[in-house]
Amino acid sequence: MARFSIDLKSGDLSNQPNEIIVGIDLGTTNSLVAYVNEGVGVAVKDENKKTLVPSIVHFGNSGRIKVGEEAHRMLVEDPQNTVYSVKRLLGKSYADVEQIESYFGYDVIDDGTDNLVKIKVRDRFYTPTELSAEILKSLKIKVEEELGISVSKAVITVPAYFNDSQRQATRDAGKLAGLDVLRIINEPTAASLAYGLGKNDDQKIAVYDLGGGTFDISILHIQDGVFEVLSTNGDTFLGGDDFDRAIVEHWINEHELGSSLKFSGKSGGQALRLLAEKAKKHLSSNDDYHAYLEGIEFALTKRQFEQLILPILERTIACCQQALKDAKLDVDDIQHVVMVGGSTRVDLVKKLIGNFFQKPVYDDLDPDEVVAIGAAIQADVLAGNQKDVLLLDITPLSLGIETMGGLMDTIIPRNTKVPSKAGRQYTTSIDGQKNLKISVFQGERDLVEHNRKLGEFILRNIPPMPAGLPKIEVQFIINADGILKVKAKELRSGVEQVIDIKPTYGISEEDMGRMLLDSIQNAQTDMNSRAILEAKNEGNHIVHSTEKFLEQNKEVLSPSEVEGIISLKNDLKSAITGDDKDLINSAIQDLNLYSAPIAHKVMDIVIRKAMKGQKV
Ligand code: ADP
Ligand code: MG
């Protein structure tokens, strides 16, 4: 469930400014599309000034497909061929949804072709992905009509608890609708972005999302533009629909309608339910409601309504308590509370939640629109139009460690999707080396000094072994929260050390862009520096082994051989202090040419001696 967004994939870097990437809230009950116009997020309206598109698809007998308001009307007329709440089925198997099958008024089945649930309408099978694509297509048309240009790129939101398969199904739905889905982001993250909360430092936010049929509470930690989901809780069958149901029940009891056919059955039930929803919405800004249906007067006061829904709201508070507990936080730790979802228009909801968190809630923006607007802001960041928001769910820069001579050895290249894991083996360069310092860096340059140091640690207590013998495995593991764990293990002895590092800590989008640009501009210089360093490393290695050779073979070398070797070794040593790689390489070559025959001679002597010692 990561988070976070700057996209530095090469394709996205080349986005033309002014290109519009839209943000889409694909909801269970309602969906909508938004875009950023001159820095401000706007939700797209239809000809009736409505921004919400009911997430409903109707299949007519002529094969005509209706989406949104038109399909909503068919819910009463033609319920079997009208599909709603398809988001509940996205990325799920039949076994996942078997228990809730009766909730759907249409056929939810297992057609045996794959693991995924299907929906049967008029003798045809549809995947939830295809149905979601119909909703997305209608949103695409809606925004294209408003802007008068074609739109092909989008950011789509999903609940924070969506798993990989649900996220993938959402992505696929976008693709089917002709949209290039640049990013899937979490709904609570989007809502926080809409309130500009991504820009401030180190804060914890509760996002309370009460929609039509679902309730989600998410606790987020925002630090340096990185959104981390600390915990989520909620109820996938709790929402505004329950308010409607409570009102219907109240009226049925009040008027003793239990046996009345007019108010039961599919269409009669729907009519009363729609009236209840109307009453509920009316009471968000009025103190009482009344209307006539089938000659009966249905009335409700705000006080009555609040009494009816109090038990439902208490259930949401229990979820909030659990979410805080899971995040190991107290109410005081939460700096901001964001209201999302149509049902948070109800005064009592805002009052109770404000009381629970002991602070005023954010409700200035339209709770129906905040998620789509946040997605649009994210899209605008991806389009390159905003500079001060940073979100990541890829590694924006390469991660690696420092090797001999200050070289950067990349272990996880940039643009790798998180979570991710990669490793490499290293060894020591000194005989009997006991400790190995592992310095972790982020950046694209060949020399670590040009990259950003993220942290370092020492692998201690390596048993003494000759240089080159220890096998040290360094592993980088980035979890879904964007936290990098670095493990180093000496495989022969099993000595191990682990540290946690925040890879994106303190990097602004601007810094990141600069670091990437630097790496491109300095590629040539870097190649040269790398060649110099490699020459120096090799030179040092040869100086070291030559000294060892001289020390070990004192008795068998002639004084002139010793003198010759020492003189060439000193030439090499002085070449290493400079930056001329050709000079270093030729000094290496000279020393090798001179000492190779001597080494062979020495080897022969050593072998002969060893043979003599043997008793044949
Ligand atoms: P979802 O995210 O599940 O798609 P929404 O956030 O669009 O759902 O919320 C839809 C719910 O909000 C419905 O139950 C609707 O009746 C309710 N709702 C919309 N406007 C109001 C209002 N003014 N007062 C109370 N409830 C409202
Ligand atoms: Mg929603």
Side-chain angles (χ1 to χ4, degrees), residues 604-616:
D604 284 345
I605 298 171
V606 172
I607 291 169
R608 239 175 293 136
K609 269 190 181 165
M611 299 286 279
K612 264 188 205 154
Q614 271 180 4
K615 292 175 185 130
V616 183

Side-chain angles (χ1 to χ4, degrees), residues 25-30 32 87 157 187 209-212 214 216 340-342 367-368 371:
D25 172 4
L26 183 61
T28 310
T29 319
N30 295 301
L32 69 158
K87 187 174 176 179
T157 59
E187 288 162 11
D209 181 349
L210 192 60
T214 59
D216 300 315
V340 182
D368 290 324
V371 169

Side-chain angles (χ1 to χ4, degrees), residues 25-32 52-53 55 87-88 187 209-216 239-244 273 277-285 305 340-347 367-369 371:
D25 172 4
L26 183 61
T28 310
T29 319
N30 295 301
S31 298
L32 69 158
L52 294 184
V53 174
S55 304
K87 187 174 176 179
R88 294 184 185 280
E187 288 162 11
D209 181 349
L210 192 60
T214 59
F215 166 62
D216 300 315
D241 297 350
D242 295 294
F243 299 176
D244 306 346
R273 197 191 62 74
E277 187 177 3
K278 228 171 167 181
K280 169 184 79 176
K281 289 183 179 174
H282 181 82
L283 292 174
S284 301
S285 42
F305 172 61
V340 182
S343 300
T344 61
R345 285 223 178 73
V346 175
D347 286 338
D368 290 324
E369 297 176 2
V371 169

Side-chain angles (χ1 to χ4, degrees), residues 553-574:
N553 302 291
K554 282 197 284 253
E555 321 97 334
V556 290
L557 293 171
S558 76
S560 75
E561 284 169 334
V562 172
E563 203 186 280
I565 292 175
I566 288 179
S567 142
L568 286 170
K569 187 199 75 178
N570 287 341
D571 289 350
L572 174 57
K573 264 180 144 171
S574 81

